[in-house]
Amino acid sequence: MPTFQFSKLPRAIALALPALSMLCSQALAQSTNTLPPVTVNANKTKTAPVPSPEVVSPASLAGGLSATSDTASLLRDVPGLSLYGAGGVSSLPAIHGLADDRLRIKVDGMDLIASCPNHMNPALSYIDPTSVGALQVYAGIAPVSTGGDSIGGTIVAESRPPVFAAPGVGSITQGEIGAFYRSNNQASGANVAATYATEAFSISYRGSTAKADNYSAGADFKNYDFTGRVGHTLARDEVGSTAYETTNHLLALAYRNDRHLFEAKLGVQDMPFQLYPSQRMDMLDNQQNSINLRYLGEFDWGQVEARVYHEKVDHFMDFGADKRYWYGGSTTNGVVVGSGGATALNGIPCSPISMTCAAGMPMYTEGKTTGASVRADIALSPQNLLRVGGELQKYRINDWWTPSGGGMWPGTFWNINDGQRDRTAAYAEWEARRSDQWLTLLGARVEQVKMDAGTVRGYNTAATAMGFQARDAANFNALDHNTTDNNFDLTAMARYTASPSYEIEFGYAHKVRSPNVYERFPWSTWQMAALMNNFVGDGNGYIGNPDLKPESANTLSATFDWHGADRSWGFKATPYVTQVSNYIDAQQWNATTNAPATVLATNKFSVLRYVNQSARLYGVDLSGYLPLAKTSMGDFGLKGLLNYTHGGNQDTGDGLYNIMPLNAKLIVTQKTGAWDNSLELVGVKAKTDVSTMRNEVKTPGYGLVNLRTSYTWKQVRVDFGIENLFDKFYYLPTGGIYTGQGTTMSNPALPNYPQWGTAVPGMGRSVYVGLNVKF
């Protein structure tokens, strides 16, 4: 692929600031005479709820299907939201610097939990982009009815709703088929859907598959090409361990009778592999099965929704194609001829497994989640709505590593044995229309989280076993692992509508989150074992802490919203600040003394233990849209987005890990007939505020240009685009550290890999095309 020179590429940040200012100034100068549209809620109150979620538009959802197989990436244009890089279909969304389990992510009403020490199977990875019917984000402040066990906000993903035949029609059938291709990583995939429905009954199936090779960066980013396997090398611009393959199935049945709806959804995921450029291991199998039952009833006084669900996940990790599978000495006719150093780098299989020969590092995780919820929306009066509800969740997890030789021998290592995390919650919130100008929301939630775990053991139970396995297991087993956290949430918000073109939404939230199982229960200080417990992709090892307290966050936020009465233009500014007590950060740990390190490791990987500290995050989100001109060439418009977040540890003065630097996006749109085109300019400032405790790597700023176009004709839609048009080389600010190839379990490695200081690069230029046909 040829390389284009574009040395004068402007910084998108510099363009974004005046452009967003122009959005605001021009927007305030415009006016219309039409009334704004209203949203009709289930409670028949003719006003949008407070707080208002950020809704990903149907046009954005449709436009993203050919460009990505990662559902989380459909959220890229949501103000205040960024993504932690991970596997190709498993990015972790972050809201205002708070990510992963600090967010509540609901998929078809289910609270799903990542059952993996590296969080390789997060909730959004279980719904394919082609199955998404709606995406909503509550950034920062979420109502208690959608929040809980989180401090950073809520993401709600829903699959396509059921379709029924119109009265008197009898029955209907409809379907959909689509396919895509992306050039950079040779990604391809297909999706199919079919529905049969009568006036009362509906059955539908949706299936999708996607597969991709490693992607290439815009330039060489390493001076080596070895992988630790004989005959297998990677090009120096190839980002190792970024390939994936996945298949998803969803069968949905629905029955309605008058104002009552019953739904049953059966989901199956088969993921043969998903490789990880920022983890030392790869996902080599992930099987998920879920059943989700829902009842929705409309009554004269309001609405009731009830749900019961169950999910089972079987997860397997080991070294993927780009990482060395065989450790220890190589063999000739069954005789060990080398036990380390350069000889062992050839990766030739050795047998039988022993203290001088290891065959990979198999790791197994089994997770089971059972949940139930009920919610009632009660119209107390035309101006007052009461929401009440309750939730139950039961989670069980086992995480064990079978022996494979070397130090991983002769028995099974139990990372988490019979892990338990059970939640019960109840909430109530009151939404009141106090006047034509004032709408208020007040809610409270009480929640109890109970956690426990069984006894553990290392590979080797001898007192002399490497890595202090016997000592650490004995220390952990001597503890009482049972904990009970009683948490309380509060949300108070108001919206003031000053005029048809201006409103302010502001509020306060107190949110509490209990630690997850991988923050409390991993017990081994052994560097090898600790390296396996890492869900942030920084290359370090992590040790759990059973004494962790729940995180408690207090957030103040306001949104200033200027818009046309017909919503043809708009500008929003959202400043916020969040103070977190008992923030779960980390400190470097000395395995020998089993105490905090007195001398910190710098410019290299280390082992850390989770600890409670204090943190503060603050920032501002700016977004806007504006029509530019109507010409013979079509309608032109402008969209803009700018996000700034700062996060600091107040106990240490250190920066918080993986905070997205100042970033902006400008989009020029053009619509004419069936064509919908856009030019995107993305800019990201250099990341200089980092976590020194984690030895986080700084990244330079960059600017990217993307082109997108689509053509819709009757039931056919064609998408075409070029991402990173000028093949710009850049590093992902929140993509983690590169450990995508070679002898990833050596620290430091032989000869010098993984090299601390190499961030994961972003993808170079990629052309994509997609076709979707409905019938």
Side-chain angles (χ1 to χ4, degrees):
M1 185 176 293
T3 301
F4 291 86
Q5 297 297 324
F6 196 61
S7 58
K8 295 184 179 180
L9 180 68
R11 290 183 177 272
I13 294 294
L15 290 179
L17 288 170
L20 286 170
S21 299
M22 180 182 71
L23 281 171
C24 182
S25 61
Q26 293 192 29
L28 290 173
Q30 298 189 29
S31 63
T32 64
N33 295 320
T34 59
L35 294 175
V38 297
T39 300
V40 180
N41 295 330
N43 58 27
K44 302 180 178 64
T45 302
K46 294 184 178 181
T47 180
V50 58
S52 301
E54 189 72 26
V55 179
V56 180
S57 69
S60 295
L61 291 177
L65 301 187
S66 300
T68 183
S69 299
D70 179 16
T71 296
S73 67
L74 298 175
L75 300 165
R76 289 185 184 275
D77 291 342
V78 173
L81 193 140
S82 59
L83 298 174
Y84 281 20
V89 298
S90 298
S91 295
L92 300 174
I95 298 175
H96 298 160
L98 300 171
D100 202 7
D101 283 350
R102 291 190 170 106
L103 308 179
R104 187 175 188 188
I105 301 177
K106 299 171 69 68
V107 178
D108 277 337
M110 299 183 292
D111 287 307
L112 305 180
I113 297 173
S115 294
C116 168
N118 303 143
H119 281 196
M120 291 181 174
N121 44 23
L124 290 179
S125 68
Y126 290 120
I127 180 169
D128 186 81
T130 59
S131 295
V132 175
L135 272 177
Q136 295 183 339
V137 178
Y138 293 89
I141 295 182
V144 296
S145 55
T146 60
D149 199 33
S150 60
I151 62 173
T154 300
I155 298 173
V156 179
E158 298 284 348
S159 58
R160 308 286 181 93
V163 175
F164 295 93
V169 171
S171 64
I172 61 171
T173 58
Q174 61 184 40
E176 182 178 336
I177 187 169
F180 68 85
Y181 175 79
R182 306 180 199 117
S183 66
N184 186 289
N185 55 351
Q186 307 295 305
S188 61
N191 62 279
V192 62
T195 298
Y196 170 81
T198 66
E199 187 176 339
F201 175 75
S202 176
I203 180 171
S204 64
Y205 165 78
R206 301 194 71 89
S208 61
T209 183
K211 184 176 181 179
D213 294 331
N214 291 338
Y215 70 76
S216 298
D220 294 349
F221 67 99
K222 48 191 170 168
N223 59 6
Y224 54 88
D225 52 18
F226 71 89
T227 65
R229 296 196 180 196
V230 174
H232 180 49
T233 59
L234 298 183
R236 297 191 176 187
D237 66 344
E238 183 175 347
V239 183
S241 300
T242 52
Y244 60 85
E245 180 179 348
T246 182
T247 300
N248 293 277
H249 306 274
L250 180 64
L251 178 66
L253 299 92
Y255 172 77
R256 69 176 182 182
N257 180 11
D258 193 17
R259 295 189 292 174
H260 304 275
L261 174 68
F262 301 87
E263 286 186 276
K265 294 182 178 180
L266 304 174
V268 175
Q269 180 181 89
D270 174 17
M271 188 177 292
F273 66 91
Q274 182 179 197
L275 311 185
Y276 276 70
S278 59
Q279 296 290 353
R280 298 169 187 271
M281 308 293 290
D282 295 305
M283 175 196 293
L284 298 186
D285 189 40
N286 195 80
Q287 302 292 324
Q288 185 239 24
N289 298 282
S290 66
I291 181 169
N292 186 4
L293 306 178
R294 177 189 182 224
Y295 164 74
L296 179 66
E298 298 277 357
F299 302 90
D300 292 339
W301 49 265
Q303 174 181 282
V304 171
E305 182 178 22
R307 186 183 307 273
V308 177
Y309 62 91
H310 177 75
E311 179 208 41
K312 184 177 185 296
V313 175
D314 289 303
H315 176 74
F316 172 66
M317 292 194 300
D318 209 326
F319 301 114
D322 301 330
K323 296 168 184 173
R324 187 177 177 210
Y325 187 80
W326 294 90
Y327 280 72
S330 59
T331 60
T332 300
N333 297 324
V335 178
V336 176
V337 297
S339 59
T343 304
L345 285 175
N346 59 25
I348 296 174
C350 52
S351 62
I353 60 172
S354 64
M355 284 301 296
T356 58
C357 169
M361 186 179 174
M363 301 170 63
Y364 297 87
T365 307
E366 179 187 67
K368 296 179 181 180
T369 305
T370 302
S373 63
V374 62
R375 164 177 162 163
D377 294 4
I378 305 169
L380 302 177
S381 71
Q383 295 79 32
N384 292 273
L385 173 69
L386 176 66
R387 297 187 186 95
V388 294
E391 298 171 358
L392 299 172
Q393 185 189 60
K394 180 180 178 181
Y395 180 59
R396 296 293 180 268
I397 183 171
N398 284 302
D399 188 332
W400 71 101
W401 313 341
T402 55
S404 60
M408 303 163 287
W409 184 78
T412 295
F413 186 104
W414 280 92
N415 193 39
I416 297 178
N417 180 30
D418 192 22
Q420 303 177 26
R421 193 178 193 272
D422 297 338
R423 294 173 48 223
T424 57
Y427 62 84
E429 63 185 22
W430 172 33
E431 185 177 301
R433 166 62 69 179
R434 300 186 178 278
S435 68
D436 291 340
Q437 292 180 306
W438 283 98
L439 180 67
T440 61
L441 179 78
L442 182 64
R445 180 185 186 98
V446 292
E447 190 153 8
Q448 186 177 82
V449 180
K450 292 185 175 182
M451 297 179 65
D452 202 355
T455 58
V456 297
R457 55 152 290 167
Y459 288 110
N460 193 330
T461 59
T464 57
M466 67 173 61
F468 305 103
Q469 296 176 71
R471 181 200 67 183
D472 294 342
N475 289 343
F476 182 85
N477 292 335
L479 298 174
D480 181 2
H481 308 141
N482 189 293
T483 61
T484 300
D485 300 328
N486 295 305
N487 304 330
F488 175 76
D489 288 3
L490 174 68
T491 296
M493 295 201 71
R495 181 189 299 126
Y496 174 68
T497 304
S499 72
S501 296
Y502 177 61
E503 60 188 32
I504 306 173
E505 188 173 288
F506 55 93
Y508 161 79
H510 173 79
K511 303 290 186 181
V512 182
R513 176 191 81 97
S514 288
N516 63 44
V517 294
Y518 284 108
E519 289 168 326
R520 270 189 169 148
F521 295 140
W523 50 273
S524 179
T525 64
W526 183 19
Q527 178 179 269
M528 187 285 298
L531 289 172
M532 300 296 94
N533 291 286
N534 179 324
F535 45 83
V536 295
D538 62 0
N540 297 310
Y542 284 85
I543 308 166
N545 184 349
D547 295 328
L548 287 176
K549 299 176 182 178
E551 295 179 323
S552 178
N554 294 287
T555 298
L556 289 171
S557 177
T559 297
F560 303 90
D561 185 353
W562 296 270
H563 53 265
D566 62 352
R567 298 283 179 174
S568 62
W569 60 267
F571 177 81
K572 288 184 180 181
T574 303
Y576 58 88
V577 59
T578 297
Q579 181 72 40
V580 188
S581 301
N582 293 318
Y583 181 86
I584 299 176
D585 213 326
Q587 62 182 170
Q588 291 189 18
W589 200 255
N590 185 319
T592 301
T593 61
N594 203 16
T598 56
V599 178
L600 298 184
T602 59
N603 298 333
K604 63 180 181 180
F605 300 117
S606 63
V607 173
L608 305 101
R609 187 173 189 254
Y610 293 111
V611 293
N612 288 122
Q613 295 175 328
S614 298
R616 178 180 295 165
L617 303 101
Y618 60 84
V620 63
D621 305 327
L622 303 178
S623 62
Y625 57 95
L626 180 72
L628 293 178
K630 292 187 176 182
T631 71
S632 59
M633 297 178 63
D635 298 344
F636 290 83
L638 180 67
K639 299 178 182 179
L641 182 72
L642 185 145
N643 303 307
Y644 170 73
T645 300
H646 179 271
N649 185 313
Q650 293 189 292
D651 288 357
T652 64
D654 198 7
L656 298 184
Y657 177 71
N658 244 9
I659 300 296
M660 184 70 179
L662 177 69
N663 62 94
K665 179 182 289 188
L666 287 176
I667 307 174
V668 179
T669 62
Q670 184 246 354
K671 296 182 179 181
T672 177
W675 289 97
D676 192 342
N677 310 305
S678 65
L679 169 67
E680 295 180 358
L681 181 63
V682 179
V684 178
K685 189 177 182 294
K687 183 175 73 172
T688 55
D689 293 332
V690 295
S691 169
T692 57
M693 182 65 69
R694 287 178 163 93
N695 290 316
E696 185 179 5
V697 175
K698 298 179 180 180
T699 57
Y702 60 89
L704 305 176
V705 177
N706 304 318
L707 294 176
R708 309 187 193 280
T709 185
S710 67
Y711 181 83
T712 304
W713 180 74
K714 293 184 178 180
Q715 303 299 98
V716 179
R717 178 185 172 108
V718 178
D719 287 274
F720 175 82
I722 306 176
E723 297 197 307
N724 194 358
L725 176 64
F726 299 104
D727 207 22
K728 179 75 172 181
F729 177 80
Y730 65 102
Y731 290 106
L732 298 169
T734 55
I737 203 75
Y738 184 63
T739 55
Q741 69 186 86
T743 53
T744 59
M745 280 309 300
S746 298
N747 189 27
L750 301 171
N752 289 305
Y753 186 81
Q755 297 179 11
W756 177 90
T758 303
V760 175
M763 185 181 291
R765 181 173 49 248
S766 185
V767 178
Y768 69 85
V769 61
L771 173 67
N772 199 74
V773 181
K774 297 181 179 180
F775 52 89

